[in-house]
Amino acid sequence: MSNDNLTHFGFQEVNEGDKEKKVAEVFDSVASRYDLMNDLMSAGLHRLWKRFAVAQSGVRKGARVLDIAGGTGDLSLAFAKRVGVEGQVLLTDINNAMLTHGRDRLLDRGYPVPATQCNAERIPFKNDVFDCVMVSFGLRNMTHKDAALAEMRRVLKPGGRLLALEFSRVWKPLAPLYDLYSFKVIPKIGQLVTHDAPSYRYLAESIRVHPDQEGLKSLMESVGLEKVEYFNLCFGVVALHRAYKF
Ligand code: SAM
């Protein structure tokens, strides 16, 4: 088999066809405790990172927003509050367990956001329909990130914005401490809370093989996104990339 068919699943090299299955296993396993784990692992910081992303979106009342890899729906909820009844938010995810959890959670809070199960590499919507497309902590798990980004660009209206919130490359002096936390502490928390340390080991590994800030910026430019910029959060533990379609 040629190397072209291999991709990363954390630090493992796997066949491209197997990555989707393995990522699905991770999210099937963690879905029910996903929100709790996010709060525990980040000490609640993920809420601030997401709030910052929404603040940078420029989304106003009446806007149409697409939440890609939206999972349990944190971003969909925040955007639904912003766009009001005049606007529309669509929650999407490849994983049925995460999506169902997200859809139900939004309904419980009084936001009946439509949910669509789909792969970000093949978005089932027409060209030029969304004011904003958001992908939060999802891109890292995708097999063909360039194809997914091209699809996100395709469905944006001219003038629309893409926001990608993702783990990135931490400021070098902090790397040893961050490595210790992510490779030693996080899998232990995962084991205690979800009885699944390997899924949280995958989380730590997948961050290391994901493009860094400049790498993701170049990837976005390579699919025709413009005016790409990024904001480092917590010394680059996370970065928010913002880009436009013109
Ligand atoms: N956006 C949510 C958040 O910020 O809390 C959930 C992020 S969760 C870490 C990653 C999500 O990406 C999972 O729900 C997973 O099912 C989804 N995902 C992975 N690969 C995908 C793909 N190719 N297309 C769409 N969603 C995908």
Side-chain angles (χ1 to χ4, degrees):
M1 186 189 312
S2 95
N3 275 352
D4 291 339
N5 297 323
L6 294 176
T7 187
H8 288 291
F9 174 75
F11 289 163
Q12 295 174 48
E13 291 227 302
V14 298
N15 289 333
E16 283 189 353
D18 291 339
K19 172 158 176 170
E20 220 172 278
K21 246 187 297 160
K22 286 178 165 292
V23 170
E25 282 164 13
V26 167
F27 289 103
D28 281 340
S29 161
V30 305
S32 63
R33 316 222 90 186
Y34 176 80
D35 295 323
L36 173 64
M37 276 300 290
N38 270 356
D39 278 332
L40 289 176
M41 286 184 308
S42 72
L45 282 171
H46 76 105
R47 294 167 184 261
L48 299 182
W49 299 332
K50 288 169 179 168
R51 204 174 298 162
F52 178 75
V54 173
Q56 298 305 316
S57 70
V59 162
R60 296 173 188 219
K61 276 213 181 327
R64 294 194 79 191
V65 179
L66 179 64
D67 186 5
I68 291 284
T72 56
D74 281 352
L75 272 306
S76 287
L77 180 62
F79 280 120
K81 290 177 183 169
R82 275 209 161 204
V83 304
V85 284
E86 307 94 312
Q88 191 183 28
V89 177
L90 300 180
L91 170 65
T92 66
D93 199 282
I94 198 171
N95 185 285
N96 189 48
M98 293 290 282
L99 191 65
T100 307
H101 200 78
R103 186 202 55 199
D104 293 350
R105 191 168 157 242
L106 289 162
L107 261 179
D108 288 347
R109 298 192 182 196
Y111 292 93
V113 168
T116 303
Q117 188 173 1
C118 67
N119 187 338
E121 296 175 24
R122 293 179 293 280
I123 299 175
F125 300 116
K126 291 187 182 153
N127 297 352
D128 307 332
V129 283
F130 294 100
D131 299 290
C132 176
V133 174
M134 173 86 225
V135 57
S136 162
F137 301 109
L139 203 52
R140 190 181 79 247
N141 302 293
M142 295 173 193
T143 309
H144 304 103
K145 299 178 207 338
D146 51 348
L149 288 168
E151 276 291 88
M152 294 180 216
R153 181 185 177 280
R154 178 184 67 73
V155 298
L156 271 176
K157 288 178 187 170
R161 292 177 183 203
L162 171 68
L163 289 158
L165 186 66
E166 190 51 273
F167 292 107
S168 201
R169 209 63 84 244
V170 71
W171 183 47
K172 228 173 175 171
L174 290 182
L177 192 65
Y178 181 57
D179 283 350
L180 187 75
Y181 180 68
S182 41
F183 287 109
K184 299 287 179 211
V185 181
I186 287 182
K188 284 212 170 71
I189 304 177
Q191 178 62 33
L192 282 173
V193 178
T194 65
H195 307 292
D196 180 5
S199 288
Y200 285 93
R201 210 165 295 125
Y202 161 73
L203 166 74
E205 292 179 5
S206 65
I207 293 168
R208 299 328 188 267
V209 295
H210 186 66
D212 64 9
Q213 287 85 338
E214 283 294 323
L216 183 54
K217 180 173 185 237
S218 303
L219 197 60
M220 288 180 157
E221 287 166 345
S222 75
V223 302
L225 286 157
E226 294 179 55
K227 274 179 71 180
V228 186
E229 59 186 335
Y230 59 81
F231 307 87
N232 281 318
L233 305 174
C234 292
F235 299 96
V237 168
V238 165
L240 175 72
H241 282 70
R242 183 169 65 183
Y244 294 80
K245 170 178 175 178
F246 292 115

